[in-house]
Amino acid sequence: QYRNPSYVNYNNELNNVVLKDLIISNGVADQNNFMSVAVCAFGNTTLNNCVMKGTTSTADAKYIVYDLGVRNYSTATINGGEYGRLYFWPATNVTINNSKVGIIDSSISTIKNATSSLVIANGTTVDQINFTHLTNYAPRVTVEAGAVVNVMNLINTKIDNIVINGTVKKFTYNGV
C-alpha cells in the first residue's frame, strides 16, 4: 500500500518510473480534501517514458483518485509513457508528447486572471479531457496535428484560445 502522495518538487525529472495499481490508504494531496494523488508535481517537472495508472484509494468514496497531479503555478512536460487519470490545478502549463492518457480533469478555480495551457502534442492520444467550472480563468488548449482526443468537455468554462490541428472526435462546450 502507498501511504502518502509523492511530491516532486521544483526542477525534477522522472525517467521510466512505473507506478501501477497503487493503493493510497492515507494521503490526500489537496487542501480541499476532495482528491488523492499518487504523484503531485510542483515547479518544473519532466516525465520521460513513465507509466502511472490504476491508482485507487481506500478512503471514503467522496475522494477522486488521480495518478498524477500538477499544482498551481507549475509546469510539466510529459514525454512518452502511459497515464491513467491526471488532474491539473488551474494556473499550470502542461505539454504532453507522444503519450497515451486516459482522463485529464481540471476544475473550480479561485485564482482570478490566471493563465494556463494544455498542449496535446503529436503522437499523443487522450481518451477524455474535462474542464469544468473554470470561470475565473481561461485555459489555452492546443491539439496539435497527429494528436487525438476522443472527447473534450468544456463545461461552465471560459475559453481563451483553442487550437485544433489534430483530431477531436467529440467536443462539448457548455452543454452544446
Side-chain angles (χ1 to χ4, degrees):
Q1 284 189 333
Y2 192 69
R3 284 282 186 204
N4 292 300
S6 296
Y7 293 92
V8 177
N9 295 309
Y10 302 95
N11 304 319
N12 278 280
E13 184 173 317
L14 300 176
N15 294 298
N16 305 308
V17 172
V18 176
L19 299 174
K20 288 177 61 176
D21 303 320
L22 293 176
I23 300 172
I24 300 175
S25 62
N26 183 21
V28 177
D30 184 76
Q31 68 274 14
N32 295 321
N33 295 330
F34 74 94
M35 70 172 62
S36 292
V37 179
V39 174
C40 200
F42 291 82
N44 298 310
T45 302
T46 301
L47 292 88
N48 295 313
N49 300 311
C50 297
V51 175
M52 296 180 181
K53 62 181 189 173
T55 301
T56 57
S57 175
T58 59
D60 186 313
K62 69 182 177 182
Y63 294 102
I64 299 172
V65 182
Y66 292 94
D67 300 297
L68 170 68
V70 180
R71 291 294 306 220
N72 287 328
Y73 307 111
S74 297
T75 299
T77 303
I78 299 172
N79 299 312
E82 193 172 342
Y83 305 85
R85 190 168 192 143
L86 312 181
Y87 188 86
F88 302 144
W89 274 260
T92 60
N93 294 298
V94 179
T95 300
I96 305 173
N97 299 295
N98 200 28
S99 302
K100 182 178 179 186
V101 179
I103 297 173
I104 297 172
D105 289 333
S106 186
S107 66
I108 307 176
S109 173
T110 57
I111 301 171
K112 293 191 184 292
N113 302 318
T115 59
S116 71
S117 67
L118 172 61
V119 177
I120 308 299
N122 181 29
T124 299
T125 300
V126 179
D127 290 335
Q128 188 168 330
I129 296 173
N130 301 307
F131 283 172
T132 58
H133 304 291
L134 297 174
T135 56
N136 289 325
Y137 86 107
R140 293 181 189 99
V141 180
T142 302
V143 179
E144 293 184 350
V148 176
V149 175
N150 290 320
V151 177
M152 183 182 295
N153 295 311
L154 305 170
I155 308 301
N156 296 326
T157 296
K158 288 191 326 185
I159 295 300
D160 184 28
N161 191 346
I162 292 182
V163 176
I164 300 173
N165 290 317
T167 300
V168 175
K169 293 180 180 178
K170 180 179 179 186
F171 183 90
T172 303
Y173 179 66
N174 291 335
V176 178

